[in-house]
Amino acid sequence: MKHIVEKEWLLKHLNEDDVRIIDCRFSLANPEMGGVEYVEAHIPGAVYFDLEKDLSGNVSIHGGRHPLPDLDGLIEKLEKAGIGEDTTVVVYDNGEGAFAARFWWMLSYLGHKNVYVLNGSFKDWVGANYPVTAEVPVFNRASFRPAINDALLADMEEVKAISQGQTENAVLIDSREEKRYQGIVEPIDKKKGHIPGAINKPWMQGLEEGYYKPIEEQKKRFAEIDLQQQVVVYCGSGVTAVPNFLALKEAGYENVKLYLGSFSDWISYEENEIE
């Protein structure tokens, strides 16, 4: 896989100077849990990045529940973690897939080429009796020069154009579970349903027990979508859509964008229709 590494690879390269490890464990139900778990034990050399404190910005009227963070602040922390342009970065969460993928997408958006998600997550690492530590690492500061890749990000107007059929050869993917897509239940957002015209590809169907399914299975998941189509993925707040983004890239789709504001941003505009 292009964007995913196995635990055996990371163990082999664990102590190399040009490899950095990022811990992105998080719980939406208990936002402090990931940081607590990190302090208790993490992969040696790992630095903790928090979904809401580091990888998201302040919530406002528009932008969704997990908007883009302040990029200067994020770059500052990356530099403190010793991450420069040539650093190989491996990121993990606790098996959910979405939190590690969010960091992977953020670094890709900043133009970093060598960033990978750890397949199987921290749980699999511990299950293999691989080393863990409570020691918080300190690195020499690096220089991180961003090269923003706007081709990875879709805004609301672009999504609206696809939804209304104004964009040729484009498809919109709702990554939430089917009940939320259909509007049967909505545990978080104030409105139910989905963006008109979107198809449903639940993100969790791309993983199994913390592992991304093989490339051939990912290709089958998206088989009705032409490889040349422009694909825009969204979810509730731009977090759980990213495993689909990553799976699409592994399956050979080149033109993939994330609607980072997602459904929570879409419904913040009263004029936007809901299906």
Side-chain angles (χ1 to χ4, degrees):
M1 290 185 173
K2 297 178 183 178
H3 309 290
I4 297 169
V5 296
E6 304 298 331
K7 62 183 183 296
E8 293 82 4
W9 184 94
L10 183 57
L11 182 67
K12 182 179 178 180
H13 298 276
L14 194 60
N15 298 312
E16 295 183 4
D17 291 338
D18 60 347
V19 174
R20 290 290 178 271
I21 306 164
I22 303 300
D23 186 319
C24 279
R25 284 176 288 173
F26 192 81
S27 169
L28 292 169
N30 182 359
E32 302 302 319
M33 183 182 293
V36 171
E37 290 177 337
Y38 170 80
V39 169
E40 291 176 349
H42 50 264
I43 295 176
V47 177
Y48 186 68
F49 276 70
D50 186 284
L51 169 68
E52 295 187 342
K53 296 175 183 176
D54 302 314
L55 305 179
S56 306
N58 295 324
V59 177
S60 59
I61 296 174
H62 303 300
R65 285 182 276 107
H66 291 107
L68 278 176
D70 173 68
L71 296 184
D72 289 338
L74 176 58
I75 291 167
E76 170 77 12
K77 187 163 186 182
L78 291 171
E79 292 183 334
K80 285 184 177 180
I83 297 174
E85 287 96 304
D86 299 323
T87 309
T88 297
V89 181
V90 179
V91 56
Y92 66 88
D93 55 25
N94 218 20
E96 306 85 356
F99 307 122
R102 169 76 172 216
F103 181 92
W104 171 84
W105 185 90
M106 284 297 318
L107 218 57
S108 300
Y109 176 68
L110 291 175
H112 196 73
K113 303 296 183 185
N114 302 317
V115 54
Y116 305 90
V117 171
L118 178 64
N119 214 10
S121 76
F122 185 71
K123 285 182 179 179
D124 191 51
W125 180 273
V126 172
N129 292 317
Y130 284 3
V132 296
T133 184
E135 182 180 347
V136 177
V138 177
F139 298 104
N140 292 327
R141 188 185 182 97
S143 175
F144 188 99
R145 289 174 292 181
I148 302 297
N149 187 355
D150 286 321
L152 303 186
L153 182 65
D155 61 20
M156 192 275 291
E157 292 298 333
E158 187 172 353
V159 170
K160 180 181 283 189
I162 297 172
S163 174
Q164 295 177 347
Q166 299 171 2
T167 304
E168 291 186 9
N169 205 30
V171 61
L172 191 58
I173 294 178
D174 187 313
S175 303
R176 299 170 300 164
E177 63 176 323
E178 187 177 7
K179 288 183 178 180
R180 291 184 70 190
Y181 169 79
Q182 292 179 344
I184 296 171
V185 298
E186 181 45 65
I188 304 171
D189 290 310
K190 62 182 180 180
K191 295 181 180 180
K192 298 179 181 180
H194 59 268
I195 299 173
I199 64 173
N200 187 213
K201 297 289 180 183
W203 68 276
M204 65 288 293
Q205 293 179 2
L207 295 102
E208 188 169 353
E209 297 182 356
Y211 282 89
Y212 279 86
K213 292 179 179 178
I215 292 174
E216 288 306 314
E217 290 191 39
Q218 302 292 0
K219 288 180 178 179
K220 289 178 182 178
R221 292 180 62 220
F222 305 114
E224 74 271 33
I225 303 172
D226 189 278
L227 284 171
Q228 306 306 315
Q229 281 189 285
Q230 172 68 68
V231 184
V232 176
V233 295
Y234 78 89
C235 55
S237 67
V239 179
T240 57
V242 190
N244 263 350
F245 186 109
L246 195 156
L248 282 157
K249 298 296 282 187
E250 292 290 355
Y253 293 84
E254 295 296 330
N255 302 317
V256 186
K257 293 187 176 187
L258 172 67
Y259 176 26
L260 191 134
S262 285
F263 192 67
S264 54
D265 176 61
W266 180 264
I267 62 173
S268 70
Y269 298 88
E270 290 298 327
E271 69 274 17
N272 283 349
E273 295 181 4
I274 300 170
E275 192 170 359

